[in-house]
Amino acid sequence: MLNTSTIRGTFKQIPYWKLRGRFHSCGYRDQEVAEYIGIGRDTMSGRMQGHNPWTSTEIAAMCELLGIRQNEIGEYFFPRVEKGESA
């Protein structure tokens, strides 16, 4: 699991950085996750960049694939934005 206290610089400003880290820690690439949840590469890119919202079906499928528990959904899909950052 990622230790956010050691992350420096602008990495935390990337939308869904923690979710992308979860993909990689589980051994998946973005494209593999996109295929699993039934969306295309461009749609996945838009979601990961924060341009388009996730659907509840996509969130449920990713939680199943990545082992994200119900009480963790908020931290992966609805991150808090601190002043000076964008989501």
Side-chain angles (χ1 to χ4, degrees):
M1 192 56 66
L2 293 173
N3 180 353
T4 59
S5 65
T6 61
I7 297 172
R8 304 206 191 311
T10 60
F11 180 70
K12 287 177 67 177
Q13 293 174 333
I14 298 170
Y16 302 105
W17 64 271
K18 191 168 187 176
L19 182 60
R20 178 162 281 136
R22 183 71 174 241
F23 293 174
H24 294 226
S25 68
C26 291
Y28 296 109
R29 294 175 304 169
D30 291 6
Q31 182 62 35
E32 293 169 317
V33 175
E35 288 173 9
Y36 182 85
I37 66 173
I39 62 175
R41 185 176 61 204
D42 292 340
T43 301
M44 181 68 156
S45 179
R47 301 279 196 272
M48 293 303 291
Q49 292 175 27
H51 298 302
N52 302 306
W54 297 101
T55 68
S56 58
T57 302
E58 293 164 354
I59 291 172
M62 273 199 274
C63 289
E64 179 181 301
L65 177 66
L66 303 173
I68 296 173
R69 296 183 304 238
Q70 186 174 7
N71 66 337
E72 298 174 316
I73 292 172
E75 66 186 86
Y76 287 100
F77 294 96
F78 308 102
R80 290 189 188 118
V81 178
E82 298 178 23
K83 275 191 166 182
E85 293 183 2
S86 60

